Amino acid sequence: MSGPVLVIELAEPVPPVSIQRLRELLVRSSSHFAEKRVGEYDLNIHAESLGIAETGGMDGRRPVMVSLMGPGIGDENIFEAEHADEVDQKPLIGFTPTHAVDVIAFCNRPVDHIVTALLTAAVMDVIGGVANAELREDQVPIVTDLPGIIATMTDPWPAAYGSAEFLRAWARQPGFRLLK
């Protein structure tokens, strides 16, 4: 079963030193770490490493993939395909993304939604960027007043753009759940 996905939009390529710091963060936070290529990591993240104490009775090791992509790293075709149907993001976030990081959970339990949000925030602490989160329509009013929100939109689909602070604040909301 696939789980939630968050995208970190980036204005420029990630420098090698930041990729190394990202790798170090992921190694420290994981019980399983496999580097498929530079910038693409298959992990079992320790929920506790992200400050998550309640796992709903699930194993605290949650399977996740972190994948950096864009020109010069990763699959450019995937980056282009994922951004082909996006609205013009420059008016919303101040730049047109040239690169992105996908944070993909492989399970869909409530803990996986929190792990995805908090891991994305931790990755943003290292490499920067703006989180792009698709929303359900009923979530728009919930996220609008959270700290770290940069923009929301409802057309052509509901989405929020925000900082790591936004993701952490949203993950603390009762009934928090990402859109798959």
Side-chain angles (χ1 to χ4, degrees):
M1 175 185 273
S2 66
V5 176
L6 280 172
V7 177
I8 303 168
E9 304 291 5
L10 302 168
E12 59 190 17
V14 178
V17 68
S18 295
I19 293 173
Q20 181 57 34
R21 289 193 344 250
L22 172 61
R23 185 181 189 283
E24 291 165 2
L25 165 75
L26 298 175
V27 167
R28 273 192 320 271
S29 304
S30 303
S31 62
H32 163 77
F33 175 89
E35 187 170 25
K36 294 181 169 192
R37 62 161 172 79
V38 173
E40 185 167 297
Y41 311 101
D42 183 23
L43 319 160
N44 279 339
I45 290 291
H46 287 291
E48 316 80 62
S49 72
L50 300 170
I52 302 167
E54 178 53 47
T55 61
M58 303 305 300
D59 186 333
R61 296 168 296 178
R62 308 310 301 158
V64 179
M65 176 182 279
V66 175
S67 181
L68 176 59
M69 66 186 111
I73 189 160
D75 190 331
E76 281 185 56
N77 293 332
I78 292 175
F79 173 82
E80 289 172 12
E82 286 185 357
H83 287 79
D85 62 348
E86 288 288 335
V87 298
D88 181 9
Q89 293 175 322
K90 189 170 185 172
L92 296 166
I93 61 176
F95 62 89
T96 299
T98 64
H99 291 75
V101 178
D102 285 352
V103 179
I104 307 163
F106 291 126
C107 295
N108 196 29
R109 304 281 185 178
V111 68
D112 297 300
H113 290 256
I114 296 169
V115 164
T116 302
L118 297 182
L119 178 58
T120 301
V123 170
M124 292 171 69
D125 289 342
V126 174
I127 64 167
V130 174
N132 176 349
E134 291 187 30
L135 305 171
R136 294 185 325 253
E137 285 188 34
D138 64 321
Q139 291 175 314
V140 174
I142 295 168
V143 302
T144 302
D145 294 326
L146 292 176
I149 194 80
I150 295 169
T152 58
M153 65 178 208
T154 56
D155 186 40
W157 54 81
Y161 294 90
S163 67
E165 176 187 30
F166 158 68
L167 291 175
R168 290 182 180 105
W170 188 24
R172 289 191 301 269
Q173 298 300 306
F176 168 74
R177 193 157 180 90
L178 295 166
L179 194 64
K180 284 178 76 175

